[in-house]
Amino acid sequence: MLPFKYPVPQTDPPRSPRETLPTMYDLPSEDPEEPGLPDEFHDLQPQLLSLTFRPRNYPASEIFSGTDMNLYYDVQHTLWHKRPDWFGVVGVPRLYNRSELRMSYVTWQEGVNPFVVVELLSPGTEKEDLGANIDEERLPNQSDVTTNGQVLQPEINEKPPSKWEVYEQILRVPVYAVFSRYTNRLRVFALNAGRYQELELSDSRVWIADLSLGLGLWQGEFQGIDRLWLRWYDVDGNWILTEAEQQRQRAEESESRAESAESQLQSLIRRLRESGIDPDRFLNR
């Protein structure tokens, strides 16, 4: 869709606002001071990742995934955080202290860093997500933050590191994936000798042996939207189903079995009639 130059001249009779005012393609979808704010895709895609993130070697009680959640990473700068679009952690209790839903993920409290981080590219965050905009981020404008009765002073003389630096050098997240819904391109980076090395993907898929899971692009319908989605697959190359998909599959299999049984019954009835046998008497119907 080609953008118009605004304002569009009015006519007589007047044209509707739909014709004369900017569309969603023309208006900014991000706050310039806080780029990367979720749009509809940023809401749906992490849901599918979480619903299909089921590493075989870990029980559900030891798997956690976070979406657009503050990830605190530096014991020397306790206010510094990143906010990944999605991240997965294994070997950590599903609930904080095995009792509470998390408000954020604080690495020095949890004792386990994320194993995989996924960033969904947006125009305002693309450079930093790919490690090319190290000095862009600034500390929030606040003189103090109060939590649990403590006043934490932000560090005003230092700049926090970029996402790339945090994931690669501080948290040492083993797998970092970046997906653009605008180009439908998936890029995956893995730690190698302390640095991220981009992996060559086969059919837009990558196998992560330590998780016994694969990550790839799937064309299909999720929440009523048919497009390319990022989701997890198993050792046999099968896409891991969400609970809703499992229920639908079971219903379809049950219906198929019922149809097969009915077909076999009708076939038996025909054979009985061809043999001169009353099906009602034979089948006790």
Side-chain angles (χ1 to χ4, degrees), residues 24-63:
M24 74 173 187
Y25 298 102
D26 309 297
L27 297 170
S29 61
E30 299 178 326
D31 182 345
E33 296 183 0
E34 192 178 355
L37 292 176
D39 55 17
E40 189 173 14
F41 180 74
H42 278 70
D43 288 335
L44 295 176
Q45 175 61 91
Q47 290 181 38
L48 182 57
L49 286 171
S50 291
L51 291 171
T52 58
F53 184 62
R54 292 198 288 274
R56 293 177 58 188
N57 299 333
Y58 296 88
S61 60
E62 295 182 12
I63 300 171

Side-chain angles (χ1 to χ4, degrees), residues 191-203:
L191 277 182
N192 183 14
R195 296 292 180 181
Y196 277 140
Q197 178 178 340
E198 186 166 6
L199 303 178
E200 292 187 10
L201 307 186
S202 175
D203 195 26

Side-chain angles (χ1 to χ4, degrees), residues 180-198:
S180 170
R181 73 182 178 98
Y182 305 101
T183 63
N184 288 325
R185 183 185 180 188
L186 171 65
R187 302 177 68 181
V188 181
F189 304 86
L191 277 182
N192 183 14
R195 296 292 180 181
Y196 277 140
Q197 178 178 340
E198 186 166 6

Side-chain angles (χ1 to χ4, degrees), residues 24 29 46 62 103 105 108 112 134 144 147 149 193-194 204 255 268:
M24 74 173 187
S29 61
E62 295 182 12
M103 297 185 294
Y105 194 91
W108 59 85
V112 182
I134 293 175
D144 58 75
T147 178
S204 295
E255 182 178 357
L268 175 59

